[in-house]
Amino acid sequence: DTGVSQDPRHKITKRGQNVTFRCDPISEHNRLYWYRQTLGQGPEFLTYFQNEAQLEKSRLLSDRFSAERPKGSFSTLEIQRTEQGDSAMYLCASSPETVYNEQFFGPGTRLTVL
Amino acid sequence: DAKTTQPNSMESNEEEPVHLPCNHSTISGTDYIHWYRQLPSQGPEYVIHGLTSNVNNRMASLAIAEDRKSSTLILHRATLRDAAVYYCILGTDSWGKLQFGAGTQVVVTP
């Protein structure tokens, strides 16, 4: 399968713990996006990478959130000192650098903070 | 950022066409109109996009009003696998940040 993969698919953690999620984009896609989705809502944009450069972060991305994309390949999203409000589905997407960029989404990581 | 308005839900019988409306009265001249859908327990998937002209692909058709203030996604023959939330999104950034709304929940009845 050459689609976008995310790991883990599910994560349960206690409030105050740190968690890290991984996203492997489709190879040769140099654009990578992170979104967050809560129940009953559409996904919300968090951040965007072009190759290894993080070009934009949403104001939703508090100081407890950090994302990296070393070497322009896979990406990680870390949440420090998790809060119950962080419980959501975290989605990763990738796209090629073309005039029109269809985004290919992964299956997401479901985070539950107890 | 330009916003879109969609009905909360629509119901269709299997093998009948589904017309999903989307209003975007504040669309700018360079905004693409994207449609994505999200099946249960999956990430969103691309359906179709357009700028000014009507578009067809293997999944659906997109009809864009002449003034571009509204559009309609057409599923020609709904199947049970088309039951999903359909999102109409305007592309406001050249690099493609997607700003999803709540979408339309499509229910397909056998």
Side-chain angles (χ1 to χ4, degrees), chain B residues 22-64:
Chain B
C22 181
N23 289 320
H24 29 78
S25 58
T26 60
I27 190 170
S28 74
T30 57
D31 281 336
Y32 282 98
I33 302 161
H34 315 261
W35 284 83
Y36 279 73
R37 72 179 186 180
Q38 189 170 22
L39 279 65
S41 302
Q42 295 188 25
E45 65 174 347
Y46 167 83
V47 177
I48 201 167
H49 78 279
L51 187 60
T52 56
S53 303
N54 295 344
V55 185
N56 298 297
N57 67 18
R58 63 177 179 81
M59 289 183 70
S61 295
L62 177 60
I64 301 173

XYZ file of all heavy atoms in Angstrom, chain B residues 22-64:
340
model
N -24.056 23.687 -2.531
C -23.094 24.430 -1.725
C -23.157 25.904 -2.130
O -23.065 26.218 -3.310
C -21.682 23.890 -1.936
S -20.419 24.740 -0.961
N -23.364 26.753 -1.153
C -23.376 28.193 -1.408
C -22.062 28.805 -0.961
O -21.569 28.507 0.130
C -24.540 28.862 -0.672
C -25.863 28.511 -1.297
O -25.983 28.449 -2.513
N -26.866 28.254 -0.485
N -21.513 29.653 -1.812
C -20.248 30.326 -1.489
C -20.287 31.712 -2.113
O -19.547 32.004 -3.068
C -19.033 29.525 -1.955
C -19.266 28.668 -3.173
N -19.296 29.172 -4.453
C -19.475 27.328 -3.272
C -19.505 28.185 -5.298
N -19.627 27.060 -4.625
N -21.121 32.562 -1.546
C -21.393 33.871 -2.148
C -20.193 34.813 -2.083
O -20.138 35.789 -2.825
C -22.604 34.514 -1.468
O -22.360 34.646 -0.087
N -19.225 34.553 -1.179
C -18.070 35.445 -1.054
C -16.838 34.901 -1.764
O -15.724 35.328 -1.502
C -17.743 35.688 0.429
O -17.452 34.431 1.052
C -18.909 36.348 1.140
N -17.037 33.975 -2.679
C -15.915 33.369 -3.395
C -15.143 34.436 -4.167
O -15.722 35.389 -4.711
C -16.430 32.264 -4.344
C -15.277 31.447 -4.918
C -17.312 32.850 -5.447
C -15.732 30.197 -5.671
N -13.821 34.282 -4.188
C -12.996 35.213 -4.951
C -12.658 34.608 -6.308
O -12.855 33.417 -6.536
C -11.699 35.525 -4.191
O -10.816 34.418 -4.248
N -12.143 35.428 -7.190
C -11.893 34.979 -8.553
C -10.878 33.859 -8.683
O -10.901 33.108 -9.652
N -10.000 33.735 -7.694
C -8.952 32.710 -7.785
C -9.243 31.482 -6.938
O -8.436 30.563 -6.879
C -7.606 33.300 -7.340
O -7.751 33.810 -6.008
C -7.160 34.407 -8.282
N -10.382 31.454 -6.260
C -10.722 30.310 -5.412
C -11.129 29.103 -6.238
O -12.047 29.199 -7.064
C -11.875 30.646 -4.463
C -11.447 31.451 -3.268
O -10.255 31.391 -2.908
O -12.306 32.133 -2.685
N -10.485 27.984 -5.997
C -10.988 26.716 -6.486
C -12.134 26.266 -5.579
O -12.205 26.625 -4.414
C -9.910 25.633 -6.443
C -8.905 25.705 -7.555
C -7.660 26.309 -7.350
C -9.159 25.145 -8.802
C -6.722 26.365 -8.353
C -8.223 25.194 -9.813
C -7.013 25.800 -9.585
O -6.077 25.850 -10.580
N -13.037 25.460 -6.120
C -14.081 24.800 -5.342
C -13.696 23.325 -5.261
O -13.588 22.644 -6.277
C -15.461 24.940 -6.020
C -15.812 26.421 -6.203
C -16.527 24.225 -5.188
C -16.893 26.644 -7.247
N -13.418 22.877 -4.031
C -13.016 21.482 -3.823
C -14.164 20.737 -3.163
O -14.853 21.280 -2.302
C -11.836 21.371 -2.840
C -10.720 22.330 -3.035
N -9.571 22.001 -3.693
C -10.563 23.605 -2.616
C -8.745 23.033 -3.667
N -9.306 24.017 -3.033
N -14.280 19.477 -3.485
C -15.180 18.580 -2.745
C -14.367 17.381 -2.258
O -13.651 16.742 -3.036
C -16.337 18.108 -3.614
C -17.404 19.139 -3.820
C -17.414 20.148 -4.739
C -18.624 19.257 -3.096
N -18.564 20.887 -4.638
C -19.327 20.360 -3.639
C -19.207 18.551 -2.046
C -20.579 20.759 -3.156
C -20.448 18.939 -1.576
C -21.117 20.043 -2.127
N -14.490 17.133 -0.991
C -13.924 15.942 -0.373
C -15.060 15.213 0.326
O -16.089 15.807 0.654
C -12.856 16.321 0.669
C -11.496 16.647 0.084
C -11.283 17.835 -0.609
C -10.427 15.772 0.234
C -10.039 18.143 -1.147
C -9.172 16.070 -0.293
C -8.991 17.248 -0.987
O -7.766 17.542 -1.521
N -14.856 13.938 0.572
C -15.830 13.200 1.357
C -15.097 12.368 2.396
O -13.916 12.049 2.242
C -16.705 12.308 0.483
C -16.012 11.085 -0.086
C -16.987 10.266 -0.907
N -16.392 9.003 -1.365
C -17.040 8.099 -2.104
N -18.294 8.325 -2.479
N -16.444 6.993 -2.461
N -15.802 12.049 3.460
C -15.216 11.268 4.545
C -16.155 10.133 4.896
O -17.249 10.372 5.426
C -14.940 12.148 5.763
C -14.145 11.462 6.850
C -13.692 12.433 7.933
O -14.260 13.504 8.111
N -12.654 12.060 8.673
N -15.717 8.935 4.582
C -16.475 7.744 4.952
C -16.254 7.473 6.434
O -15.267 7.919 7.022
C -16.018 6.552 4.106
C -16.615 6.462 2.686
C -16.163 7.612 1.815
C -16.256 5.131 2.038
N -17.159 6.724 7.044
C -17.025 6.454 8.482
C -15.677 5.848 8.834
O -15.189 4.943 8.153
C -18.166 5.469 8.748
C -19.173 5.764 7.691
C -18.386 6.143 6.479
N -15.068 6.374 9.857
C -13.802 5.879 10.399
C -12.633 5.959 9.418
O -11.672 5.183 9.520
C -13.957 4.420 10.885
O -14.969 4.348 11.855
N -12.711 6.866 8.470
C -11.611 7.052 7.525
C -11.251 8.536 7.428
O -12.019 9.408 7.834
C -11.998 6.540 6.135
C -12.234 5.040 6.070
C -12.427 4.560 4.647
O -11.958 5.184 3.698
N -13.129 3.455 4.488
N -10.064 8.796 6.872
C -9.697 10.168 6.569
C -10.463 10.648 5.345
O -10.976 9.853 4.564
N -10.540 11.970 5.157
C -11.221 12.486 3.970
C -10.549 12.005 2.688
O -9.350 11.693 2.676
C -11.077 14.008 4.127
C -10.871 14.228 5.581
C -10.086 13.033 6.049
N -11.326 11.965 1.613
C -10.759 11.653 0.311
C -11.279 12.654 -0.713
O -12.420 13.115 -0.643
C -11.076 10.218 -0.126
C -12.535 9.931 -0.363
C -12.776 8.539 -0.927
O -11.814 7.879 -1.374
O -13.947 8.113 -0.935
N -10.428 12.968 -1.656
C -10.753 13.919 -2.715
C -11.852 13.351 -3.599
O -11.880 12.159 -3.915
C -9.492 14.185 -3.529
C -9.708 14.899 -4.838
C -9.829 16.287 -4.881
C -9.767 14.184 -6.026
C -10.007 16.934 -6.093
C -9.940 14.834 -7.235
C -10.065 16.210 -7.259
O -10.244 16.841 -8.452
N -12.786 14.229 -3.980
C -13.833 13.824 -4.913
C -13.645 14.520 -6.261
O -13.523 13.877 -7.297
C -15.241 14.145 -4.345
C -16.319 13.785 -5.361
C -15.468 13.391 -3.031
N -13.612 15.853 -6.234
C -13.565 16.607 -7.476
C -13.244 18.061 -7.149
O -13.368 18.484 -5.995
C -14.922 16.494 -8.217
C -14.802 16.808 -9.713
C -15.985 17.355 -7.541
C -16.048 16.395 -10.502
N -12.780 18.807 -8.131
C -12.580 20.231 -7.927
C -12.869 20.961 -9.232
O -12.840 20.363 -10.325
C -11.177 20.554 -7.430
C -10.127 20.533 -8.514
N -9.559 19.355 -8.973
C -9.560 21.538 -9.218
C -8.682 19.635 -9.910
N -8.656 20.944 -10.088
N -13.120 22.264 -9.120
C -13.346 23.068 -10.310
C -13.062 24.529 -10.039
O -12.949 24.951 -8.886
N -12.966 25.278 -11.106
C -12.708 26.714 -10.975
C -13.877 27.507 -11.568
O -14.535 28.255 -10.861
C -11.404 27.087 -11.673
C -10.930 28.527 -11.484
C -10.691 28.841 -10.014
C -9.655 28.775 -12.292
N -14.145 27.323 -12.846
C -15.247 28.042 -13.476
C -16.175 27.128 -14.267
O -17.382 27.316 -14.270
C -14.713 29.127 -14.435
O -13.854 28.508 -15.398
C -13.940 30.197 -13.688
N -15.608 26.120 -14.900
C -16.406 25.254 -15.770
C -16.865 24.010 -15.031
O -16.239 23.579 -14.066
C -15.577 24.829 -16.987
O -15.104 25.959 -17.697
N -17.956 23.427 -15.518
C -18.428 22.154 -14.970
C -17.368 21.080 -15.205
O -16.623 21.120 -16.193
C -19.752 21.759 -15.613
C -20.862 22.733 -15.264
O -20.742 23.522 -14.328
N -21.937 22.677 -16.024
N -17.299 20.130 -14.301
C -16.270 19.102 -14.332
C -16.908 17.732 -14.116
O -17.880 17.617 -13.355
C -15.212 19.340 -13.233
C -14.071 18.336 -13.339
C -14.676 20.765 -13.295
N -16.352 16.746 -14.784
C -16.801 15.369 -14.583
C -15.591 14.492 -14.314
O -14.528 14.682 -14.904
C -17.506 14.840 -15.837
C -18.740 15.635 -16.182
O -19.696 15.674 -15.431
N -18.705 16.294 -17.328
N -15.746 13.536 -13.408
C -14.745 12.480 -13.269
C -15.479 11.193 -12.937
O -16.717 11.144 -12.950
C -13.658 12.853 -12.248
C -14.162 12.936 -10.825
O -15.227 12.415 -10.485
N -13.385 13.613 -9.982
N -14.713 10.162 -12.633
C -15.331 8.845 -12.455
C -16.208 8.791 -11.217
O -17.067 7.936 -11.080
C -14.258 7.765 -12.388
C -13.326 7.896 -11.210
C -12.322 6.753 -11.131
N -11.425 6.930 -10.010
C -11.730 6.601 -8.754
N -12.897 6.073 -8.483
N -10.862 6.795 -7.792
N -15.983 9.703 -10.276
C -16.746 9.659 -9.032
C -18.004 10.501 -9.085
O -19.034 10.130 -8.508
C -15.888 10.148 -7.869
C -14.775 9.201 -7.473
S -13.858 9.817 -6.050
C -15.058 9.636 -4.746
N -17.916 11.670 -9.730
C -19.006 12.629 -9.628
C -18.898 13.690 -10.707
O -17.947 13.707 -11.494
C -18.963 13.298 -8.248
N -19.881 14.582 -10.699
C -19.851 15.767 -11.556
C -19.988 16.991 -10.667
O -20.615 16.936 -9.599
C -20.995 15.739 -12.564
O -20.846 14.674 -13.459
N -19.395 18.075 -11.105
C -19.481 19.344 -10.385
C -20.065 20.382 -11.322
O -19.491 20.644 -12.397
C -18.098 19.785 -9.901
C -18.027 21.135 -9.185
C -18.899 21.138 -7.940
C -16.581 21.477 -8.822
N -21.205 20.925 -10.914
C -21.847 21.975 -11.690
C -21.650 23.294 -10.956
O -22.013 23.416 -9.784
C -23.336 21.673 -11.849
N -21.055 24.269 -11.638
C -20.731 25.558 -11.023
C -21.620 26.623 -11.652
O -21.695 26.733 -12.879
C -19.243 25.904 -11.246
C -18.364 24.802 -10.636
C -18.907 27.263 -10.641
C -16.885 24.949 -10.946
